[in-house]
Amino acid sequence: KAGVTQTPRYLIKTRGQQVTLSCSPISGHRSVSWYQQTPGQGLQFLFEYFSETQRNKGNFPGRFSGRQFSNSRSEMNVSTLELGDSALYLCASTSFSGTDTQYFGPGTRLTVL
Amino acid sequence: EDQVTQSPEALRLQEGESSSLNCSYTVSGLRGLFWYRQDPGKGPEFLFTLYSAGEEKEKERLKATLTKKESFLHITAPKPEDSATYLCAPRGNDYKLSFGAGTTVTVRA
């Protein structure tokens, strides 16, 4: 079974731009969660989508948004990029069918210049 | 608010030198405590889930245990390939995972 995939793997943007990251969950998984990982703050929860609805949200500004499509694929968008948004963005998928383990993708490394 | 503290922050071991990592947590209504391993530049890799106090799980040289306030990850006779950052994450009633800062383990041959 293929794992969680994320595209692109690397991105370089400049301040003020916006960016869209994509995540394809494991086949059959309906929940996708997004995390930001930085050396100073560690892994921080952004939001979770289940069946196209945002179910949970972390403490991030409104510049961070996401959505989920009917095939469970998810995208997250960051508008008006700031230098502090440079991070590894991880997505994780869950089946919620008996086992509720989150399986992570390889991440997208975003650098904001 | 959920709180997770992992100690030590870093651990340097000689190959074969066993040790333990600690994860102290405060969460409302524990719905599982998860352990992950993360290599530099990669996504976390799932290791274990523990659901109730007294539960233990093992995988190769790793064993995870759970009490009401702490979880331990024991590494027995580690090898260099066990070098990684180990993350614990309790899940509460809101179904969110709260990650600790991690323990970076370095095993020297």
Side-chain angles (χ1 to χ4, degrees), chain A:
Chain A
K1 208 177 210 182
V4 178
T5 58
Q6 293 187 243
T7 56
R9 293 293 313 280
Y10 303 92
L11 264 180
I12 299 176
K13 293 286 187 179
T14 56
R15 280 179 298 173
Q17 288 186 310
Q18 74 164 17
V19 67
T20 299
L21 311 182
S22 180
C23 172
S24 292
I26 292 171
S27 177
H29 285 194
R30 295 168 61 195
S31 168
V32 172
S33 297
W34 288 89
Y35 295 85
Q36 180 195 66
Q37 187 174 34
T38 59
Q41 299 296 318
L43 258 163
Q44 291 188 289
F45 173 75
L46 281 157
F47 29 66
E48 180 203 2
Y49 285 87
F50 180 75
S51 293
E52 302 179 66
T53 302
Q54 187 180 87
R55 182 158 65 175
N56 267 315
K57 190 177 190 304
N59 297 321
F60 278 81
R63 300 186 297 108
F64 292 82
S65 62
R67 59 177 176 168
Q68 187 180 33
F69 302 95
S70 59
N71 62 358
S72 295
R73 190 177 70 84
S74 178
E75 288 181 346
M76 69 161 281
N77 183 274
V78 188
S79 62
T80 319
L81 284 166
E82 300 177 359
L83 294 179
D85 297 333
S86 294
L88 181 67
Y89 289 88
L90 293 158
C91 100
S93 75
T94 310
S95 65
F96 281 106
S97 61
T99 60
D100 56 358
T101 299
Q102 289 194 3
Y103 294 94
F104 283 83
T108 294
R109 171 71 64 184
L110 172 64
T111 302
V112 182
L113 303 176

Side-chain angles (χ1 to χ4, degrees), chain A residues 37 45 56 100-102 105, chain B residues 36 38 46 51 91 94 96:
Chain A
Q37 187 174 34
F45 173 75
N56 267 315
D100 56 358
T101 299
Q102 289 194 3
Chain B
Y36 289 85
Q38 187 175 26
F46 170 70
Y51 289 99
R91 167 183 256 153
D94 57 6
K96 289 194 287 188

